[in-house]
Amino acid sequence: MGRCIKVLFGSLSFIVALIAIGIGYLKIDEVFRQKFFAKFKNIVSNINDPAMMNLRCNQLLRHSDVKGHILEIGAGTGINFPCLYNNTNIESYTGLEPNVEMHSYFYNFIQQWDISFGVRLSNNPATNMFHIESNTIDTIIMTLVLCSIPDPLPQQVLLEAHRVLKPGGTFIFFEHVIADSQTDPFIYGLQKTIEPLWVIIGDGCRFKPITNYFDSVKNLYSKVEYEYSDIPMPVFFFKDAVKGKLTK
Ligand SMILES: C[S@@+](CC[C@H](N)C(=O)[O-])C[C@H]1O[C@@H](n2cnc3c(N)ncnc32)[C@H](O)[C@@H]1O
């Protein structure tokens, strides 16, 4: 019995030590962190997850709303493509994905479809879209990205998005937000507690009051619309989100 407990504790200590070394390594090595996150996203971005794909395709990226020249900010592994590949309203697609480790997953994923519009993936960040001319984009798409962009740069993304959009063009977004500290103090406290670890595992993602960014551009865009929504994922502290649209 004593020997069993020793083996159990020894094994547990070994596993905890391995996890601690892994997290330490993730923290100091940016390339490793990006590779890890790309692999992780490729595993969790599941095309067969009906609730999440229903949200993406039927609530956010409906064919009637996504048209013309498309720009996707933070394209990731291409998980929004099931909603786009057969949209005959699309003329071209440009994805921005600064984590180059995502690119091979993206291209492997989208090659399953015969896509009739041009697809381009760039490693430029959305904070400076110098390679995109002003007033040329009809629809911008962004899902679960702003948490990864450190303050105050999300503001810059919304300004750049406004510059590249055509007048009347739309910017469709879905972003997770920090829980409300008044109505959900437990989840809020938990998010604040785990944030230092979340930032490392989630490649810079923080729990933030994301709606502030959209409120701050109310005088710039002709229309700013959003509503609170749930993230249909089985992670109890990762539930609050906001979905909406900015119109230039
Ligand atoms: C949590 S992932 C979301 C990926 C995908 N949009 C989705 O819905 O699953 C966030 C993505 O934003 C990208 N990203 C981070 N900073 C960015 C920036 N400044 N410009 C564009 N993309 C960025 C990351 O590399 C990552 O692929």
Side-chain angles (χ1 to χ4, degrees):
M1 182 70 177
R3 190 177 144 69
C4 274
I5 290 176
K6 266 191 197 162
V7 170
L8 189 66
F9 270 100
S11 311
L12 273 179
S13 313
F14 183 67
I15 292 168
V16 170
L18 275 185
I19 293 174
I21 291 168
I23 291 172
Y25 201 51
L26 274 178
K27 188 170 179 183
I28 55 174
D29 188 328
E30 196 186 340
V31 175
F32 181 62
R33 194 164 62 239
Q34 292 202 329
K35 275 190 181 156
F36 169 85
F37 190 61
K39 207 175 215 18
F40 173 74
K41 276 302 287 178
N42 192 46
I43 292 168
V44 297
S45 301
N46 182 1
I47 190 177
N48 297 316
D49 174 348
M52 203 56 205
M53 290 319 291
N54 177 48
L55 172 80
R56 289 181 190 273
C57 297
N58 300 327
Q59 294 183 41
L60 296 171
L61 307 175
R62 286 181 291 257
H63 287 197
S64 52
D65 295 332
V66 179
K67 42 183 176 261
H69 298 290
I70 309 300
L71 173 70
E72 178 162 21
I73 296 175
T77 57
I79 188 61
N80 284 326
F81 247 83
C83 318
L84 307 177
Y85 76 95
N86 58 353
N87 180 341
T88 50
N89 298 321
I90 297 181
E91 287 172 53
S92 74
Y93 169 97
T94 302
L96 302 183
E97 182 41 71
N99 180 352
V100 289
E101 302 297 337
M102 297 274 189
H103 288 209
S104 56
Y105 293 117
F106 177 95
Y107 284 118
N108 282 341
F109 184 55
I110 70 162
Q111 72 176 5
Q112 63 186 294
W113 298 293
D114 187 14
I115 298 168
S116 61
F117 50 84
V119 174
R120 190 173 147 236
L121 188 63
S122 151
N123 56 4
N124 261 102
T127 41
N128 184 358
M129 310 187 208
F130 64 89
H131 58 308
I132 302 178
E133 279 180 43
S134 303
N135 306 310
T136 54
I137 301 294
D138 296 279
T139 314
I140 298 180
I141 299 167
M142 179 178 73
T143 57
L144 305 172
V145 174
L146 287 186
C147 80
S148 316
I149 303 184
D151 285 329
L153 297 177
Q155 221 88 37
Q156 183 61 25
V157 171
L158 301 189
L159 294 180
E160 272 291 83
H162 184 267
R163 178 184 68 75
V164 301
L165 271 177
K166 290 180 183 172
T170 55
F171 181 166
I172 300 168
F173 57 84
F174 178 72
E175 293 290 327
H176 77 81
V177 296
I178 190 165
D180 188 320
S181 62
Q182 304 294 313
T183 56
D184 223 348
F186 173 71
I187 300 292
Y188 175 85
L190 181 68
Q191 289 176 341
K192 280 288 164 200
T193 309
I194 64 167
E195 192 174 77
L197 189 61
W198 193 251
V199 169
I200 299 170
I201 297 172
D203 196 26
C205 180
R206 290 184 182 277
F207 295 100
K208 300 198 279 189
I210 296 281
T211 51
N212 291 348
Y213 303 131
F214 301 117
D215 289 340
S216 75
V217 292
K218 278 188 170 155
N219 291 332
L220 180 65
Y221 285 84
S222 68
K223 219 194 264 175
V224 173
E225 302 161 274
Y226 62 75
E227 61 181 305
Y228 288 93
S229 165
D230 271 356
I231 305 183
M233 278 184 188
V235 185
F236 75 97
F237 60 84
F238 189 73
K239 282 277 163 215
D240 302 281
V242 65
K243 66 177 178 202
K245 188 164 81 174
L246 310 176
T247 307
K248 179 166 175 179

